[in-house]
Amino acid sequence: MSRPGFLLSAWPWRSVGYLLTGAVAGAVVLVGVVTLAVAGGALAAVLVGLPLLVMLALSGVVVARTERWRLRLLDGDPLPDPHRAPAATGLWAWLTTRLKEQATWRELGYTLLFAGLLWPLDVLAVTVAVLVPASMAATPLLMATVGDGREAKVLKQWTVTTWPTAFGVAVLGLLLLASGLYAMGVVAGARAGLTRLLIASRDGELDARVVELSRSRVRLVDAFEAERRRIERDLHDGAQQRLVALTMTLGLARLDAPPGPLADQLAKAHDEAGRALAELRELIQGIHPKVLADYGLAAAVADAADRSVVPVDVELAVPGRLDQAVESAAYFVVCEALANVAKHSGAGRAEVRGGHSRGRLLLEVRDDGRGGADASAGSGLTGLADRVSVLDGTLTLSSPPGGPTLLRVEFPCELTESAGASGASGLAARADRCG
Amino acid sequence: MLAEDSVLLREGLIGLLGRCGHEVVAAVGDAEALLVAVEEHGPDIVVTDVRMPPGFQDEGLHAAVRLREWRPGLPVLVLSQYVQRTYASELLDSGDGTGVGYLLKDRVGQVEQFVDALCEVADGGTVVDPEVVRQLLRRRRDPLERLTPREREVLALIAEGKSNGAIARELVVSEAAVGKHIGGILTKLDLPPAEETHRRVLAVLAYLRA
């Protein structure tokens, strides 16, 4: 507005447009709100009015949406919708979500203010700043047309009878119009600012949304863990038991079969079933290791170290059990790290160390290999880093060419069960020493 | 005595053991029932699954450990779906370490070997699944580092529950050579002369705990 070209730009007209549409919309809203309130209040006794009152409560949502749209006349940045998406589809979910939101009630407050106070102010601003100076500027025109060149009424109040006076009033009107347009720009800006203040989402709400988002991420991780466990259980209780029964039956059949082609075929089938069983066992182990659920992280890591091709020293002090999601993520980080050590590092020895202290779980996997690992190169570590970060943990990798490689994960977490609370943790402690 | 929650496997095992001349005095489906049934029947050997109701965690294993606290000499063979040194260690630490078996469930398919292992455990021997043994072979640590590779091989086969004769056949050496290796193992593991079978068990335990 401070630019010299303000009066010649589209902004005065945008301001006028904003205030005029505001005046019209405000009048409509006033009629709507009063109608809903009166009809709803009168009919509330016969229950028909209750939906009307609910509609009244929610009218702010509609009005605010229109207002946000109208704000674009003055504001290039569209305002974000402060409402949350309902958790489920359907009218009821929508209603309950909206009625529980702070934003809905703030918007209703704005609507009442708009209907009662703001739109008359809009009218006043446009009248004073534009219509009055404009009608003054039109005085010579009025004198020439309606007044037959003899007289004209300025603002329907003062009578002007001479041409010089008429032109003087017109010049005054134009000057007032110019300053009025400036003033109106200010009013429209203030008005838009007030609207934005009242109906746009706030930082507090943004924080709430961030919290909500992080919670939903954690819920997703939990659901993912639960699903892993379910798949593991299903495979264990179903396919695995049947395969064991099948190998048993085939084993017995082999005992009965006389030597010959039939016995050979049976032997082949028996071996195949045995291999299928071994593969299934590996698969289930990879989905969710039983020892992790039963004995916790230290024991599971010790077992993973047992299975590693590269010899691994384990020194892990976790005096109890941790949150399931943390245990699981930490375990899979170690497994992935050990798999990488075996596949890429060329290391002769690896080491897993760490422990839980002062509310943090720290794990380090170190190897004496050639280094050069890159966590950002789309390896399995990227996925693990995501999984770690969901739990507010950090994963860092130091792997200079020539080695050594050091992978470090840290989680904020508390022990859920202290040492000695179960037989399992005592065992886990022993597994540390074994490792 | 048999504890296994899968009806399919339970029936299969009863049939299998019956065929090989063993009598199943009771077959139960959960750990609690196992403890009660052992009290009632006093079996020669208990065969139990690790994972059982109600929690489907390691109830069977804990029941086995408790049984061996009550009756240290009771032979117990635990069947597991997984190779887990942790489970094996806990089991072998219970009682006096004799008459214990830890096998993968897969092994019941190899009927004859399974029945042999069962008899070995019932006679007070120690049988550990070859998969577990294989895992342990990767860990060459004190005091096993003192053993020669051949001695380690022999020790692994002892852990699998094999007799000297069977070991000799497997390694294609004479039985006398096996005896010599075992002597070397026992000396290096600091196991002074006592009754032969017991020292073998101690050697296996030392091996598993290493």
Side-chain angles (χ1 to χ4, degrees), chain A residues 252-263:
Chain A
L252 282 172
R254 274 179 80 178
L255 290 183
D256 292 338
L262 178 64

Side-chain angles (χ1 to χ4, degrees), chain A residues 232-233 236-237 240-242 244-245 247-248 250-253 255-256 270 274 277-278 281-282 284-285 288-291 293-295 299-300 302-303 305-309 311-313 349 423-424 427-428 430-431 433-435, chain B residues 4-6 8-13 15-16 19-20 49-51 55-58 61-62 80-87 89-90 93 104-112 131 134-136 138-141 145 208-210:
Chain A
E232 185 260 348
R233 208 168 39 237
H236 174 95
D237 295 338
Q240 208 174 15
Q241 306 285 2
R242 279 180 191 282
V244 171
T247 54
M248 194 159 62
L250 284 171
L252 282 172
L255 290 183
D256 292 338
H270 192 207
L277 202 50
R281 195 173 58 232
E282 285 295 309
I284 293 177
Q285 174 76 22
H288 188 85
K290 202 74 198 69
V291 71
D294 292 348
Y295 294 104
D303 269 334
D306 280 353
R307 285 194 304 278
S308 167
V309 181
V312 182
D313 293 314
R349 253 202 127 71
L427 192 87
R430 205 188 55 242
R433 290 202 302 279
C434 294
Chain B
E4 162 64 60
D5 60 298
S6 156
L8 196 67
L9 278 186
R10 195 160 69 211
E11 294 306 318
L13 277 169
L16 187 152
R19 258 191 66 133
C20 301
D49 188 8
V50 169
R51 179 139 95 169
F56 292 98
Q57 293 208 333
D58 48 2
L61 184 77
H62 283 300
S80 166
Q81 209 77 274
Y82 311 101
V83 178
Q84 223 94 77
R85 184 168 55 90
T86 320
Y87 291 159
S89 313
E90 189 173 4
D93 274 351
L104 270 182
K105 253 188 191 173
D106 303 16
R107 306 298 167 211
V108 301
Q110 292 143 10
V111 180
E112 279 169 318
E131 265 310 308
R134 201 165 304 143
Q135 275 190 11
L136 292 163
R138 296 206 189 114
R139 317 165 52 79
R140 290 175 194 155
R141 322 200 69 208
E145 262 162 24
L208 289 172
R209 287 169 191 156

Side-chain angles (χ1 to χ4, degrees), chain A residues 349-423:
Chain A
R349 253 202 127 71
E351 192 183 37
V352 181
R353 52 168 61 241
H356 185 276
S357 71
R358 273 175 273 137
R360 295 192 83 74
L361 173 72
L362 175 71
L363 281 174
E364 287 182 351
V365 184
R366 194 190 300 266
D367 70 62
D368 59 0
R370 65 176 82 92
D374 184 5
S376 60
S379 66
L381 281 177
T382 316
L384 280 177
D386 289 346
R387 211 167 151 184
V388 169
S389 78
V390 170
L391 301 163
D392 289 331
T394 50
L395 183 148
T396 46
L397 179 71
S398 148
S399 185
T405 298
L406 171 66
L407 179 83
R408 215 181 126 99
V409 269
E410 229 182 310
F411 293 97
C413 65
E414 294 301 333
L415 293 171
T416 54
E417 204 178 292
S418 60
S422 79

